[in-house]
Amino acid sequence: MSLFIPGLQLSQLFYEEVVSKLIQCPHAAALIGEGSEVLGYDQPRSTDHSWGPRLQIFVSTTEVGKVSMRVDSGLPDDFMGYPVRFFTWQNGTVQHHVQVTTLEEWLASQLRIHGPDPLTPQRWLSLPQQQLLQFTAGAVFHDDAGELTRMRGQLAWYPQDIWLWMLASQWHLIGNLQ
């Protein structure tokens, strides 16, 4: 294996040099979600567990199947000395980690956000902070329509009233420590 390349950089190069050439429709490409590399905390030791080039590709509903097939059949075995397919403990198989889906499906499965309507205060307060960070951290490598970038911007920080309530709640908890 070659010198360590941080996951965000590796995934961006993987998208630019390999995956982008397999997609022939409007799309967005990013590395978001779980993983130390999304937050920039990966290091050489990270490569010992299901680590390698990975990303999400967001396309329209009608393109998911076609793009998935092109990606499945077009990926090389390795990229820059790292395997492209690796063991996935969630289902016990060896597969690539290029997820092809729609933005709507990803938001529904990861954040339980359905549709573009603004979030209610109750919904904001029910979103785990870690999951918001997993969506707004990482990197967007390509975004034809700007939908992914726009949604990340909308969820990048809490509305003022929600933020003030969260601050007040935390200070209340701190005040109770005495």
Side-chain angles (χ1 to χ4, degrees):
M1 190 164 317
S2 53
L3 291 175
F4 174 72
I5 301 169
L8 282 172
Q9 181 183 355
L10 180 66
S11 293
Q12 181 172 5
L13 291 169
F14 185 57
Y15 169 74
E16 291 170 353
E17 296 178 20
V18 177
V19 178
S20 67
K21 294 168 178 51
L22 302 172
I23 304 171
Q24 300 172 341
C25 63
H27 66 282
L31 178 58
I32 56 176
E34 295 181 347
S36 59
E37 69 273 32
V38 171
L39 300 175
Y41 294 144
D42 53 334
Q43 55 186 324
R45 176 168 266 167
S46 302
T47 63
D48 71 353
H49 55 280
S50 295
W51 193 94
R54 68 181 186 94
L55 54 124
Q56 293 83 18
I57 302 294
F58 300 105
V59 295
S60 68
T61 304
T62 59
E63 296 291 338
V64 170
K66 290 179 263 187
V67 172
S68 292
M69 285 178 25
R70 286 185 59 85
V71 168
D72 289 342
S73 64
L75 293 179
D77 290 334
D78 59 69
F79 179 74
M80 299 186 76
Y82 293 97
V84 169
R85 290 168 181 83
F86 40 102
F87 183 77
T88 302
W89 64 268
Q90 290 91 338
N91 60 17
T93 62
V94 175
Q95 61 189 37
H96 67 77
H97 286 212
V98 178
Q99 178 186 19
V100 180
T101 187
T102 67
L103 180 58
E104 294 79 16
E105 287 178 17
W106 195 94
L107 289 169
S109 69
Q110 299 299 311
L111 297 175
R112 293 172 179 63
I113 292 176
H114 304 278
D117 295 335
L119 299 178
T120 63
Q122 295 84 354
R123 188 66 188 103
W124 269 108
L125 292 170
S126 70
L127 283 170
Q129 293 176 5
Q130 178 64 29
Q131 289 178 336
L132 283 172
L133 180 61
Q134 290 172 354
F135 180 62
T136 58
V140 174
F141 309 129
H142 183 85
D143 191 2
D144 284 321
E147 292 176 33
L148 175 59
T149 302
R150 198 167 27 260
M151 193 65 176
R152 283 169 44 108
Q154 288 176 7
L155 296 176
W157 197 251
Y158 298 98
Q160 183 71 11
D161 57 340
I162 301 300
W163 176 238
L164 291 174
W165 186 89
M166 291 174 73
L167 278 174
S169 296
Q170 292 301 311
W171 279 113
H172 179 76
L173 289 172
I174 291 168
N176 288 335
L177 293 175
Q178 297 177 4

